[in-house]
Amino acid sequence: MKQALITALLCAATVSWAQISPDTTYRVEVTTTASPMLNFFRHPKVPGTNSKTSFGYGMSVRAMWHPARLLAVGILTGYYVIARDEISSPGVSPEENYDATLSSIPLQLALSMQKAGWEFGMGIGPYLMMTSIRGGGSATVTGSRLEIGMTFFGSYGFQLGDNVRIGPELRVIAFRYRGIVSVMPSISFRVDPLRY
Amino acid sequence: MSRRHTFLVLVCLTAASCDPRLPSGPDILVDFEFIDAPTTPLSDSGKMAMNGVYEVVQGVSELGNPVVAKWAGNRFRIASQHDVVYSISAGGSSGDSIKLRGYMRRVRSGAGGRVRFTVSSTDGAAEVIAGVAPVSLRIRGESEAGVVFELRRVRGLAPSPFVVLAHRGGGRNSDRLGISENSVEMIRYAETLGATGVEVDVKLTRDAVPILFHDDTFSPRTVQGTYLLGKVENFDLNQIKALGRLIHGEQIPTLKEAMVAVIDETRLSLVWLDIKDPSAVKPVVELQEELMAYASGKGRADLSILLGIPSQDVLRAYEPFQEDADALVELESETALRLPRCRVWAPVWTRQIDPGVVAALRASGRSVFTWTVDLRESITSYMDRVDGILTNYPTLVVALRDAR
């Protein structure tokens, strides 16, 4: 994984260094996506069970600065609901039932390359992981933690107007510390609010 | 490549290399119950006859020389004083010989493997099986990697009052043995590793139940369970039990569960309760009193459960109870001398431990420990100066202590 990552970055750096876009317009592009989320867990979500997958959903916003180069840099954020479970506590007296949710907010630096409508990139940085536990006759419990993760995305944008593009996007998120990999197929909507 | 690109590559390399998992050797799953089954357990006197300091005739490169071997219950421990290398095996008599099977661990590197030992009838097995000390005793063995061992017993073990405390219930062994730190399972195993006591970390849940846990927050380093995330004090005990387990699958124990296990299932003589949160003091003091009564009723009056005082905040919370609850003080020695129920002064190893201060504490009936000492040279040095050590490597301390 590490070697593939290094190779990809070196290629991106080399290509962007070697090729100056013929379009010398600088622009800020904002991309929004909303999608379902399929999540794979390294360990069962709840100990004592076998469930290692979950179905969630999320939306994200990505603001990228495109100088007159192939390589763009920006920030990536959003909100994902990763997993939700109803959990009972067998063997614990008194037995209680809980409604548990795991969600996440990415707070990442994003890098991407864009050419002929295609965009490939990655986000690096922390995720704010959040949990919420309801039920059991006690007050709602919330917890949060910043953890490092990586986001990989690839998309194609069909031109709708001068500054607007729409198209499919596939995103893969590695919550490496937590042992979760998520796949998000989505529709992305791209706008250039600023060109200069 | 520009400096910007180089920087980005370095950032990504760093991010990609972050791996919370420690390097570990091969999984060693030894079914000790299966090993015990085809052999007949040795008598207590037979086990005592095997305890001793052994010259390493073969296998010096693995074990160093000498080693200390001792039975702990039904487990036979061979501990090196050369490095943190040890073997735990089980078995007994089989015909006219003694057969032991187990594993060997090189803790610092995480390496290890299975090992087998045999004592033949000509090497002293007959006498040991009969429960008498043989004139000559040799243990021969071989590891999974093909290393051959031959140990020759040189002398027996003299009892030592030096206290060996296992850090977080069992020390660094928890990273590589598949048993979690601060678990009942690890506490049970501490004695097998040679510890005479354990240090455990205590946190308070939201519903004021003391549990064994070290960190302020739940994280994938220490627990399984997707939904157990964030500060320990945010969760009730039932939620913790329902949502998570320790990293190797054990239940997160309450302090009461852990101490009952110490009283009922071990011969550990000292427990150091490391309390970082002042709000935990009152519930722990109440529980301490209940547990000491339970221990006394079980014939375990030898056990000391000491409330650790690491900070001024915890000290202030403890002072209303200073006439009632036994304590261990990590602060200045004057504080240890002032508190009537302080049983141990335990400064961190970086603090100067003045021999005059140690003498004054001993004269007042208190003991002196230090922590956390893992280096061979430091362990040897402190053995002459204090009464006990908190360590991540109890097998190393025991080997150095008993081979003196």
Side-chain angles (χ1 to χ4, degrees):
Chain A
M1 161 100 173
K2 210 184 286 186
Q3 287 167 340
L5 187 63
I6 296 165
T7 306
L9 280 165
L10 287 172
C11 287
T14 305
V15 166
S16 70
W17 177 261
Q19 296 191 20
I20 298 173
S21 168
D23 179 1
T24 57
T25 305
Y26 285 47
R27 58 192 177 88
V28 173
E29 179 186 65
V30 176
T31 304
T32 56
T33 67
S35 60
M37 197 176 185
L38 184 57
N39 307 290
F40 303 92
F41 294 75
R42 184 165 62 209
H43 300 296
K45 288 177 287 169
V46 179
T49 68
N50 293 325
S51 175
K52 289 188 182 181
T53 59
S54 73
F55 194 70
Y57 57 89
M59 60 83 65
S60 74
V61 176
R62 190 167 70 240
M64 305 295 292
W65 175 55
H66 293 267
R69 293 284 188 277
L70 283 176
L71 194 65
V73 63
I75 55 174
L76 186 158
T77 188
Y79 179 73
Y80 309 136
V81 176
I82 300 170
R84 178 171 273 159
D85 275 289
E86 284 184 18
I87 301 159
S88 62
S89 53
V92 175
S93 178
E95 183 167 320
E96 295 170 340
N97 294 314
Y98 303 104
D99 188 8
T101 305
L102 178 72
S103 56
S104 167
I105 296 175
L107 304 164
Q108 295 190 317
L109 175 72
L111 304 167
S112 74
M113 285 198 310
Q114 222 180 47
K115 193 169 177 67
W118 292 96
E119 182 181 25
F120 295 96
M122 61 186 292
I124 310 164
Y127 278 86
L128 181 65
M129 305 298 294
M130 300 173 292
T131 187
S132 170
I133 316 294
R134 292 185 182 80
S138 45
T140 299
V141 173
T142 58
S144 63
R145 201 162 181 277
L146 278 173
E147 295 175 359
I148 292 291
M150 298 183 79
T151 307
F152 302 93
F153 54 88
S155 66
Y156 183 79
F158 294 96
Q159 203 78 30
L160 283 186
D162 281 346
N163 296 343
V164 179
R165 291 161 295 284
I166 189 168
E169 177 165 311
L170 181 67
R171 181 177 300 207
V172 176
I173 304 171
F175 300 97
R176 200 155 177 233
Y177 189 61
R178 194 148 285 272
I180 304 172
V181 172
S182 303
V183 178
M184 298 179 73
S186 60
I187 300 295
S188 68
F189 184 73
R190 298 193 225 166
V191 172
D192 296 343
L194 180 64
R195 283 174 167 253
Y196 60 98
Chain B
M1 192 190 299
S2 73
R3 260 182 274 176
R4 181 175 63 190
H5 295 137
T6 306
F7 172 74
L8 291 170
V9 169
L10 286 171
V11 165
C12 292
L13 279 173
T14 306
S17 68
C18 283
D19 190 332
R21 294 167 297 170
L22 289 166
S24 65
D27 286 332
I28 294 180
L29 300 173
V30 180
D31 188 345
F32 282 114
E33 305 317 314
F34 174 73
I35 290 169
D36 281 329
T39 57
T40 304
L42 299 174
S43 63
D44 288 347
S45 54
K47 289 177 180 176
M48 194 160 302
M50 283 186 72
N51 293 347
V53 179
Y54 285 73
E55 176 197 2
V56 181
V57 178
Q58 280 188 284
V60 175
S61 60
E62 281 288 307
L63 293 172
N65 192 22
V67 295
V68 172
K70 188 176 181 183
W71 282 93
N74 291 330
R75 302 288 178 257
F76 187 62
R77 179 185 66 247
I78 299 173
S80 165
Q81 56 171 322
H82 160 71
D83 197 355
V84 196
V85 179
Y86 65 88
S87 159
I88 305 289
S89 54
S93 65
S94 176
D96 60 358
S97 63
I98 295 169
K99 290 186 177 161
L100 304 167
R101 301 288 182 272
Y103 69 86
M104 183 166 284
R105 276 279 184 195
R106 182 176 290 278
V107 171
R108 290 194 216 269
S109 70
R114 293 171 184 262
V115 68
R116 58 175 69 191
F117 296 106
T118 306
V119 182
S120 66
S121 57
T122 54
D123 281 336
E127 293 94 322
V128 170
I129 293 169
V132 298
V135 171
S136 166
L137 178 61
R138 284 179 193 265
I139 300 174
R140 300 176 195 271
E142 188 173 355
S143 74
E144 197 175 9
V147 177
V148 173
F149 299 104
E150 183 182 336
L151 313 177
R152 184 181 70 84
R153 189 172 182 271
V154 173
R155 60 176 169 85
L157 299 178
S160 168
F162 191 81
V163 176
V164 182
L165 290 166
H167 189 210
R168 299 191 193 178
R172 288 276 165 79
N173 298 283
S174 65
D175 293 339
R176 306 204 169 114
L177 267 183
I179 312 174
S180 305
E181 66 180 40
N182 284 313
S183 67
V184 170
E185 290 78 356
M186 193 69 238
I187 289 170
R188 288 190 190 116
Y189 211 64
E191 232 176 342
T192 304
L193 297 172
T196 48
V198 290
E199 177 262 2
V200 292
D201 303 283
V202 181
K203 281 276 187 285
L204 212 59
T205 64
R206 186 170 66 171
D207 50 349
V209 178
I211 62 169
L212 262 55
F213 201 75
H214 177 269
D215 296 352
D216 290 336
T217 60
F218 293 118
S219 74
R221 184 189 81 81
T222 49
V223 299
Q224 295 177 10
T226 292
Y227 301 106
L228 205 58
L229 179 159
K231 289 186 177 181
V232 173
E233 67 212 36
N234 285 354
F235 294 86
D236 294 337
L237 177 68
N238 277 0
Q239 291 165 342
I240 292 169
K241 294 275 193 186
L243 297 172
R245 297 282 187 281
L246 293 171
I247 195 61
H248 292 296
E250 307 93 337
Q251 276 280 2
I252 298 170
T254 64
L255 175 60
K256 184 171 182 177
E257 287 166 350
M259 292 304 100
V260 167
V262 168
I263 293 165
D264 288 347
E265 301 176 50
T266 78
R267 297 302 307 175
L268 295 169
S269 59
L270 192 145
V271 177
W272 170 354
L273 305 178
D274 190 2
I275 297 173
K276 302 285 196 295
D277 183 0
S279 63
V281 171
K282 182 170 183 290
V284 171
V285 167
E286 290 167 355
L287 192 55
Q288 191 183 15
E289 190 177 341
E290 181 187 331
L291 289 165
M292 290 311 299
Y294 180 73
S296 184
K298 287 278 186 166
R300 290 278 273 124
D302 60 304
L303 175 65
S304 296
I305 300 177
L306 305 179
L307 191 148
I309 301 176
S311 67
Q312 293 293 335
D313 287 343
V314 173
L315 176 63
R316 276 191 286 275
Y318 169 78
E319 276 171 345
F321 309 102
Q322 60 179 294
E323 302 287 344
D324 308 314
D326 288 345
L328 174 151
V329 170
E330 297 179 40
L331 304 170
E332 303 76 19
S333 58
E334 292 80 9
T335 305
L337 284 165
R338 170 171 69 82
L339 295 173
R341 295 287 292 262
C342 171
R343 299 287 176 244
V344 175
W345 179 51
V348 64
W349 71 272
T350 52
R351 189 194 289 252
Q352 285 278 22
I353 300 181
D354 185 90
V357 170
V358 172
L361 281 150
R362 285 172 172 166
S364 70
R366 294 168 172 84
S367 301
V368 180
F369 298 164
T370 191
W371 60 273
T372 303
V373 187
D374 293 338
L375 293 178
R376 188 172 178 276
E377 294 72 21
S378 303
I379 293 168
T380 309
S381 164
Y382 279 112
M383 272 185 183
D384 293 325
R385 295 150 61 188
V386 298
D387 304 304
I389 277 175
L390 175 65
T391 181
N392 285 305
Y393 305 133
T395 59
L396 178 62
V397 177
V398 162
L400 289 168
R401 178 193 71 184
D402 291 346
R404 281 157 72 91

